[in-house]
Amino acid sequence: MSALSKTQETRKHVIETAGGVVAAQHRLAAEAGAEVLRAGGDAVDAAVATSFAIGVLEPWMSGPAGGGAAVHWRADTGEAVAINFGMRSPRGLKVDDYPLSGEGKAGDLFPWERVVEDRNVEGAKAIAVPGTVDGIGQAHARWGRMPWAELLSPAVAFAREGMLVDWYAALLIASTARNLAKDPDAAALFLDDGVWPKGSGWTAIPDNRLDQSAMAATLEALAAGGPRAFYEGDVGRALAQDVQAKGGSLAAEDLAGYRAWVGAAQPVSYRDALFHVMPGLTAGPTFARVMEQLSDADLSSPASAYPAYARALATAYAERLGKMGDTGEVPEAPGCTTHFSVVDRDGNMVANTQTLLSIFGSRVVSPATGLLMNNGIMWFDPEQGKPNSLAPDKACLMNVCPVLGAAGERRVALGASGGRKIVSAVSQLASFVVDGGMSLGEAFHTPRIDVSGGSGIVADETLPQDVLDALGTVMPVQTTRRTVLPYAFACPAGVMRDGTTNTGCTEIMSPWGDAALEDDQ
């Protein structure tokens, strides 16, 4: 876990089971999903419970006021179905409210030009129309077995208790405390006296908890009223009023008009495997472009494979940033991030990525609902004249990349958090499984590189020197350790089904992430 220690090792144990598995970036959220499987729920039921629970337990990464995408595999029909619940810019957004500052690149998750006062990054003007609740709701309406209200009950209970601020939570809150202090309601939720990061103590057993009672009330309203209560009821109206009172353009009409997109996943053939990804304005087409280039590459040794990864990623990412965007001609377009993957004992699978975009999103909390709001507007290029340029009522170009794959008797659900780093992680893991024949545990413990639109390669320093030398012939290389914070690489979570045996794993450096089993062992 240290960037300095050369002898310390971190590993995660992967257990094989005939029962279902939920792999998520918070152990308690994964357990909430596993408990649903124990009660006879479908993988989709487990995904609903996990989605809402993780929004409470890891609120700076995702939640009801965010967006994302999921790919579902239905074992009985052999269908791969995509649900895009990405965010949209509000209809009342005014481009003139986001003038360029002339101060260079913004330096957050995208290489955009910086906007005056970072209005597209934080504050109420950075808030886009959320999509998570409708996307999760549509999946439940289509395949769910258990009552909606019952599936939200774990999240309600977690919110009533309040998220525990342990050392990791305290570290993340401290990393953004200066920004959170700008919004009184965010400061009240995450800071002490509106200034100091909530802490866990140095030697004491942590007992400091967030006051998430307002969020609990919101979740109870959604449990009783169903997913559309978020968009058409009192919750949606209160949310819009709060955002507009703080200077944003989100309106009740934006929420009422929101619908997630549901359709066939995009098939991606790769050697003897077949993947299914999100079409449209996600990283799915970028993943497909990476795998297309790798199909003819020499991956016979690490010294040839990693440079091939680097070249494919560099090409695909340059095309992504230069050509993709909501131009009105993309039929698949709908209107810090977390990922979880689920497999049930019948073989149904879910790869679900949901996000607020930046860590703590817009750093704005809606006081009436207790929800931390997204900063989806940052997904747009603030410079005009490009496919992804900022405009009103436009779909965001998301980095999310949930993937389902099948090779022989093995089927895998993969995804990651980490912004631009996601495609690098997911494509390499896919190759490790297909080209290297690795188990899920082996793949997640194998060193990776990151190439995500910059001018160089970030490589795990544990890679052999001959591999690092070969990478240096492609692009400049910077080496680093895999650590808890900061994350130089994306944080994946995945499940695998080999015949009738299921496994799950999460990023080995994630202190909260884990796989929970239906057959608790």
Side-chain angles (χ1 to χ4, degrees), residues 92-100 115 382-384 389-392:
L93 179 142
K94 296 180 174 58
V95 174
D96 290 344
D97 286 342
Y98 305 84
L100 301 180
V115 169
E383 288 191 84
Q384 294 300 297
S389 292
L390 178 62

Side-chain angles (χ1 to χ4, degrees), residues 443-465:
F444 273 61
H445 286 83
T446 297
R448 302 192 304 271
I449 63 172
D450 180 71
V451 180
S452 50
S455 59
I457 300 168
V458 177
D460 189 318
E461 68 177 34
T462 63
L463 285 167
Q465 189 59 49

Side-chain angles (χ1 to χ4, degrees), residues 198-268:
K198 288 186 180 295
S200 60
W202 179 245
T203 59
I205 296 175
D207 60 359
N208 196 1
R209 293 183 179 272
L210 301 183
D211 180 0
Q212 294 175 294
S213 55
M215 185 179 191
T218 296
L219 293 173
E220 287 176 333
L222 298 183
R228 289 308 299 177
F230 182 86
Y231 298 90
E232 298 165 357
D234 292 339
V235 173
R237 286 189 290 272
L239 197 67
Q241 288 172 3
D242 284 349
V243 172
Q244 290 188 19
K246 295 187 178 190
S249 52
L250 179 68
E253 294 75 18
D254 293 314
L255 292 163
Y258 184 90
R259 295 293 187 281
W261 179 88
V262 182
Q266 177 181 335
V268 178

Side-chain angles (χ1 to χ4, degrees), residues 69-75 77-83 261 263-270 272-280 282-289 291 339 341 349-353 400-407 410-415 426-427 430 434:
V71 184
H72 295 256
W73 173 258
R74 304 307 300 172
T77 62
E79 286 183 286
V81 179
I83 302 182
W261 179 88
Q266 177 181 335
V268 178
S269 297
Y270 177 71
D272 62 349
L274 178 65
F275 292 97
H276 286 94
V277 302
M278 289 297 308
T282 71
T286 308
F287 171 91
R289 184 73 175 99
M291 305 314 286
H339 180 87
S341 297
M349 303 181 91
V350 181
N352 188 106
T353 309
V400 300
C401 192
V403 171
L404 299 177
R410 301 201 300 173
R411 188 170 295 278
V412 65
L414 296 169
V426 176
S427 58
V434 174

